[in-house]
Amino acid sequence: MSQERPDWYKRADKGPFAGRPFDGRPRREVETRIAGGNGHHRKRRTYGMAAGFTGAALLALCVVLLLIRLQAIPGGESSGDEAPAISVADGDGGSAGENDHPSGTVRAEGISGDGKLLVVAQGEESRTTLGAPSCLGGETDIQYRGNYNVVYEDGTEQTDIAVLRNLTFIQPDDGIVEMTKLPFPDADVFLLVPAYADCHGLTLYALAVAHDGSGAALLDFRTSDGTTDSTSYYRPGAMPSVKDGLLVLPSSEGPGGETPTGPQDRKFMLDLSAKAFIQVQSDGAETGGKLERSFSFGGRAYRIAYPDKNLEYYTHAAELDNGIVWAPAPAMTGLDPGQELNAHPTAPFTLYLHAAGRDGKSGSAGGPALTELTPDNSLKLLTLPLKDGDNYVFLSGLYGAGDYVVYSTYSRQPGMNQPYREQLWALDSTNPGAAKHIRDYHSSGGFLFSLGIEKEEGDVVTVVGTPDGDGEYKREALVYSLKTGKSFVPDAYREAENGIEYVKDGRNFKAASVY
């Protein structure tokens, strides 16, 4: 198996042919009869002609029974608990013989909190082995071909989403392919990657399961050159991800993956209304002589310019009910390579609000609507202090909760590996006076930190893990109410997938993870 194989392709042995074809009493009987009597070795004896015929007949009977069990030849009975039978088809010889799987085989699945996606064989699918190692896979890897239905299960209902025709899967075993799940604000997106290895780029399909209960859909990919396709690709050995609300596909451009500046990742904005991923400008790309970082909120792309290639990390944005809160990277020094620990701002971070409803430039050729965020088209909300004692203040995170801004900062002296302290704050964008301190915390140096926001309730939920000295952590949860400005300990809590579940006033809530 290639070392570059993504670890999400490691599967348990759950294929339909993983177990022994039969066991228990029938197997022991056959083994006993072949071994002779009770299974112990017997001394060699000389038999007459009749005895020889009798022994040969018994042996032939055992072989027939064995073939019935192994290959389900006509006349054999199969228990409902056994693996599906296969029939050997005529082939052209060689090590890559072809079989036919029965229709209805589940080849891939993706499980969301809102439902389940299944990729099911439509009719029979062919099955071969590759037969020789290559960049497509190993010698014994299995190749399936066929037509497949994409089905969405929501409770007891099933809905056909799409049909993928003449599709080829290449996998290391017979197991069900687990789709890659990527969380977006309005949907869970599942990436179906039929082949786990390739010479240049791994082909993928994207399917979305909406959180509003409207169901699932197969997504198109609309690229910046105006083309639309049902598939895209990413570089072998890399993994797709979500950054700033955008799908990031690591790319290899050109036959060898070379470009003048190296491989250029591609970014796509999810537009559920169009059932599409729409390509946007990649971070760090120059537009009109400017470096810009792209964000995606509510079906619109936003760009923030920054003056130096090392300042992308210090540019932030988040969506509020009344607009987009954002912070450009301030002027900084100590950005030379190898001097990262000396980097610090020479001007303070500033938060701005770009009000909802302001017009932006429309996208071109089916591209997303676009807004350039600048101080001229935004309202200044707050300027952070430049220093906290002898430490410089950095903005590390920006999140939205209704009309409230939740943001995190850390203070650090130049040359320090760890921050002096980290803090969480809240600011009402409709009445931007002084920010309110939520809590101090540590997220590095052996400490753990989780942050979730329940927007309807206006609750900011944090969990801090402190080492107890015995290799374990003491965990404490705290809920801060944006409505009252007060903190309290929840009645109970649990860190769950994509959030923190908690209990207050006898009711259950879940704060969506943001950190």
Side-chain angles (χ1 to χ4, degrees), residues 13-201:
D13 295 331
K14 57 182 178 181
F17 312 108
R20 299 189 66 167
F22 66 99
D23 54 12
R25 186 174 58 82
R27 174 171 57 81
R28 290 194 296 271
E29 289 179 358
V30 174
E31 290 176 344
T32 298
R33 295 170 69 179
I34 293 176
N38 59 8
H40 297 292
H41 291 293
R42 305 199 319 176
K43 295 181 180 179
R44 295 179 61 89
R45 296 178 60 185
T46 303
Y47 294 89
M49 184 72 72
F53 282 150
T54 301
L58 288 173
L59 181 60
L61 177 60
C62 291
V63 171
V64 170
L65 290 174
L66 184 63
L67 288 175
I68 289 175
R69 283 289 190 171
L70 287 176
Q71 300 183 17
I73 63 177
E77 296 181 355
S78 175
S79 167
D81 295 333
E82 293 178 357
I86 62 173
S87 58
V88 179
D90 293 335
D92 55 0
S95 61
E98 184 170 306
N99 304 322
D100 288 329
H101 275 206
S103 62
T105 299
V106 177
R107 185 54 52 212
E109 69 177 6
I111 301 176
S112 168
D114 302 291
K116 178 189 292 186
L117 286 166
L118 299 173
V119 179
V120 184
Q122 182 189 78
E124 294 184 341
E125 58 178 353
S126 67
R127 178 185 187 276
T128 66
T129 56
L130 290 185
S134 70
C135 56
L136 299 178
E139 177 181 358
T140 60
D141 285 351
I142 304 168
Q143 178 175 268
Y144 302 95
R145 288 195 183 97
N147 299 327
Y148 297 87
N149 287 328
V150 181
V151 179
Y152 176 61
E153 287 188 353
D154 181 8
T156 59
E157 296 184 1
Q158 288 190 346
T159 305
D160 291 334
I161 301 302
V163 177
L164 305 179
R165 302 189 182 277
N166 301 318
L167 186 61
T168 298
F169 286 85
I170 299 178
Q171 297 295 323
D173 54 42
D174 279 302
I176 296 174
V177 176
E178 296 178 7
M179 299 188 217
T180 301
K181 178 181 176 181
L182 297 176
F184 284 80
D186 300 323
D188 285 333
V189 170
F190 292 87
L191 304 184
L192 171 63
V193 185
Y196 77 90
D198 195 85
C199 305
H200 298 292

Side-chain angles (χ1 to χ4, degrees), residues 134 319 380 459 463 514:
S134 70
E319 185 177 23
K380 182 189 292 187
D459 289 341
V463 178
V514 296

